[in-house]
Protein backbone atom coordinates (compact mmCIF):
# COMPACT_ATOMS: atom_id res chain seq x y z
CA UNK A 1 0.00 0.00 0.00
CA UNK A 2 1.25 3.50 -0.84
CA UNK A 3 1.98 5.83 2.01
CA UNK A 4 -0.08 9.00 2.41
CA UNK A 5 2.11 11.93 1.34
CA UNK A 6 1.82 14.91 3.71
CA UNK A 7 3.19 18.45 3.37
CA UNK A 8 3.36 20.81 6.40
CA UNK A 9 3.05 24.61 6.17
CA UNK A 10 3.57 26.56 9.37
CA UNK A 11 5.49 29.72 10.20
CA UNK A 12 7.09 28.11 13.25
CA UNK A 13 9.96 25.70 12.44
CA UNK A 14 9.71 24.02 15.83
CA UNK A 15 6.01 23.27 15.31
CA UNK A 16 6.71 21.84 11.83
CA UNK A 17 9.50 19.68 13.26
CA UNK A 18 7.21 18.52 16.06
CA UNK A 19 4.52 17.40 13.63
CA UNK A 20 7.11 15.73 11.39
CA UNK A 21 8.57 13.91 14.39
CA UNK A 22 5.15 12.85 15.67
CA UNK A 23 4.09 11.55 12.26
CA UNK A 24 7.44 9.82 11.57
CA UNK A 25 6.39 6.88 13.75
CA UNK A 26 3.14 6.41 11.79
CA UNK A 27 3.72 3.62 9.27
CA UNK A 28 1.26 4.72 6.56
CA UNK A 29 2.17 8.44 6.51
CA UNK A 30 5.21 10.04 4.88
CA UNK A 31 5.97 13.74 5.43
CA UNK A 32 7.28 14.71 1.99
CA UNK A 33 8.01 18.35 2.74
CA UNK A 34 7.57 21.36 4.96
CA UNK A 35 7.78 25.09 4.47
CA UNK A 36 7.38 28.25 6.43
CA UNK A 37 6.35 31.64 5.16
CA UNK A 38 7.22 32.41 1.56
CA UNK A 39 6.05 32.53 -2.02
CA UNK A 40 7.96 29.35 -2.90
CA UNK A 41 5.54 27.27 -0.83
CA UNK A 42 3.21 26.67 -3.80
CA UNK A 43 6.12 25.56 -5.99
CA UNK A 44 7.25 23.17 -3.26
CA UNK A 45 3.75 21.69 -2.97
CA UNK A 46 3.46 21.32 -6.73
CA UNK A 47 6.81 19.54 -6.97
CA UNK A 48 5.95 16.82 -4.44
CA UNK A 49 2.18 16.44 -5.09
CA UNK A 50 1.09 15.62 -1.54
CA UNK A 51 -2.17 13.85 -0.75
CA UNK A 52 -2.73 16.04 2.31
CA UNK A 53 -1.45 19.52 3.23
CA UNK A 54 -1.44 20.76 6.82
CA UNK A 55 -1.78 24.57 6.83
CA UNK A 56 -1.45 27.04 9.68
CA UNK A 57 -4.58 29.24 9.61
CA UNK A 58 -2.62 32.14 11.11
CA UNK A 59 -0.14 32.25 8.26
CA UNK A 60 0.95 35.94 8.40
CA UNK A 61 1.67 37.32 4.92
CA UNK A 62 -0.46 34.93 2.88
CA UNK A 63 -3.45 34.26 5.11
CA UNK A 64 -3.84 30.50 5.64
CA UNK A 65 -7.40 30.56 4.31
CA UNK A 66 -6.29 32.24 1.07
CA UNK A 67 -3.43 29.77 0.86
CA UNK A 68 -5.94 26.92 1.20
CA UNK A 69 -7.86 28.23 -1.85
CA UNK A 70 -4.61 28.54 -3.84
CA UNK A 71 -3.58 24.99 -2.95
CA UNK A 72 -7.00 23.65 -4.04
CA UNK A 73 -6.68 25.52 -7.37
CA UNK A 74 -3.16 24.23 -7.90
CA UNK A 75 -3.76 20.66 -6.73
CA UNK A 76 -7.49 19.91 -6.56
CA UNK A 77 -6.89 16.32 -5.44
CA UNK A 78 -5.00 17.38 -2.29
CA UNK A 79 -6.93 17.57 0.96
CA UNK A 80 -6.17 20.60 3.12
CA UNK A 81 -6.29 20.41 6.91
CA UNK A 82 -6.38 23.81 8.59
CA UNK A 83 -4.55 23.98 11.94
CA UNK A 84 -5.42 26.76 14.37
CA UNK A 85 -4.14 27.82 17.78
CA UNK A 86 -7.71 28.56 18.85
CA UNK A 87 -10.92 27.07 17.46
CA UNK A 88 -13.24 29.86 16.36
CA UNK A 89 -16.67 29.87 14.64
CA UNK A 90 -15.74 32.65 12.18
CA UNK A 91 -12.50 30.91 11.22
CA UNK A 92 -14.36 27.57 10.95
CA UNK A 93 -16.91 29.14 8.57
CA UNK A 94 -14.10 30.62 6.44
CA UNK A 95 -12.25 27.27 6.43
CA UNK A 96 -15.35 25.62 4.96
CA UNK A 97 -15.62 28.37 2.32
CA UNK A 98 -11.93 27.85 1.51
CA UNK A 99 -12.58 24.16 0.71
CA UNK A 100 -10.64 22.80 3.68
CA UNK A 101 -11.27 19.12 4.39
CA UNK A 102 -10.65 19.47 8.12
CA UNK A 103 -10.21 22.12 10.81
CA UNK A 104 -8.16 21.13 13.87
CA UNK A 105 -6.71 22.68 16.98
CA UNK A 106 -2.92 22.84 17.13
CA UNK A 107 -3.35 21.13 20.50
CA UNK A 108 -4.30 17.87 18.70
CA UNK A 109 -1.98 14.92 19.31
CA UNK A 110 0.02 13.26 16.54
CA UNK A 111 -2.40 10.30 16.72
CA UNK A 112 -5.41 12.59 16.28
CA UNK A 113 -3.74 14.36 13.36
CA UNK A 114 -2.83 11.00 11.78
CA UNK A 115 -6.45 9.82 12.08
CA UNK A 116 -7.72 12.97 10.34
CA UNK A 117 -5.00 12.70 7.66
CA UNK A 118 -6.20 9.15 6.89
CA UNK A 119 -9.83 10.30 6.71
CA UNK A 120 -8.96 13.16 4.35
CA UNK A 121 -6.72 10.98 2.17
CA UNK A 122 -9.60 8.54 1.70
CA UNK A 123 -11.86 11.34 0.46
CA UNK A 124 -13.73 12.14 3.68
CA UNK A 125 -14.35 15.70 4.89
CA UNK A 126 -14.18 15.61 8.71
CA UNK A 127 -14.89 19.35 8.72
CA UNK A 128 -18.54 18.54 7.94
CA UNK A 129 -18.90 16.68 11.24
CA UNK A 130 -18.00 19.85 13.10
CA UNK A 131 -21.20 21.50 11.87
CA UNK A 132 -23.31 19.54 14.35
CA UNK A 133 -21.23 21.01 17.18
CA UNK A 134 -21.46 24.55 15.74
CA UNK A 135 -25.11 25.29 14.93
CA UNK A 136 -24.42 29.00 14.29
CA UNK A 137 -21.95 28.12 11.54
CA UNK A 138 -24.40 25.62 10.02
CA UNK A 139 -27.06 28.35 10.03
CA UNK A 140 -24.72 30.79 8.23
CA UNK A 141 -23.86 28.21 5.57
CA UNK A 142 -27.53 27.48 4.99
CA UNK A 143 -28.26 31.21 4.67
CA UNK A 144 -25.45 31.62 2.16
CA UNK A 145 -26.75 28.74 0.03
CA UNK A 146 -30.24 30.21 0.13
CA UNK A 147 -28.91 33.61 -0.98
CA UNK A 148 -26.97 31.98 -3.85
CA UNK A 149 -30.07 30.06 -4.86
CA UNK A 150 -32.17 33.24 -4.93
CA UNK A 151 -29.52 35.05 -7.00
CA UNK A 152 -29.56 32.22 -9.58
CA UNK A 153 -33.36 32.31 -9.77
CA UNK A 154 -33.28 36.07 -10.45
CA UNK A 155 -30.58 35.78 -13.12
Amino acid sequence: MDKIKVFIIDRQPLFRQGIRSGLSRVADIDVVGEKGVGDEVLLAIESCSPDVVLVDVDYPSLNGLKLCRKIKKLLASAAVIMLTPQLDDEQFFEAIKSQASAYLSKEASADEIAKVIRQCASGEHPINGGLTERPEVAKRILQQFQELSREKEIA
Side-chain angles (χ1 to χ4, degrees):
M1 183 181 102
D2 289 339
K3 288 188 172 194
I4 301 167
K5 295 188 293 182
V6 175
F7 195 95
I8 304 164
I9 302 170
D10 194 283
R11 64 184 169 188
Q12 299 171 339
L14 189 59
F15 186 78
R16 291 193 313 265
Q17 291 165 8
I19 290 179
R20 181 186 279 272
S21 175
L23 293 177
S24 68
R25 57 186 172 78
V26 181
D28 60 337
I29 294 175
D30 184 23
V31 176
V32 294
E34 64 177 68
K35 279 278 183 203
V37 178
D39 297 329
E40 74 283 351
V41 75
L42 291 172
L43 288 172
I45 290 170
E46 192 173 30
S47 71
C48 58
S49 296
D51 302 305
V52 178
V53 183
L54 301 176
V55 179
D56 177 13
V57 171
D58 294 331
Y59 204 74
S61 63
L62 188 64
N63 178 302
L65 297 162
K66 289 179 187 164
L67 182 58
C68 178
R69 287 185 198 103
K70 288 183 178 196
I71 292 168
K72 292 303 289 181
K73 269 187 190 165
L74 180 71
L75 206 60
S77 63
V80 179
I81 299 173
M82 303 303 297
L83 296 171
T84 182
Q86 187 170 338
L87 297 173
D88 172 82
D89 278 358
E90 182 62 31
Q91 211 175 55
F92 181 70
F93 178 73
E94 292 299 326
I96 290 171
K97 282 177 53 179
S98 300
Q99 302 176 9
S101 295
Y103 176 74
L104 286 178
S105 167
K106 283 187 164 186
E107 294 179 12
S109 69
D111 290 339
E112 290 170 311
I113 293 171
K115 178 184 172 195
V116 173
I117 287 170
R118 285 187 199 99
Q119 289 175 312
C120 292
S122 68
E124 294 177 42
H125 292 81
I127 198 166
N128 296 340
L131 287 172
T132 57
E133 299 156 15
R134 300 175 182 278
E136 288 302 310
V137 176
K139 184 177 166 183
R140 284 183 65 192
I141 290 171
L142 184 59
Q143 287 171 339
Q144 198 159 60
F145 275 120
Q146 289 168 341
E147 287 169 21
L148 285 170
S149 179
R150 280 193 291 276
E151 287 172 16
K152 284 186 178 181
E153 286 174 14
I154 294 169

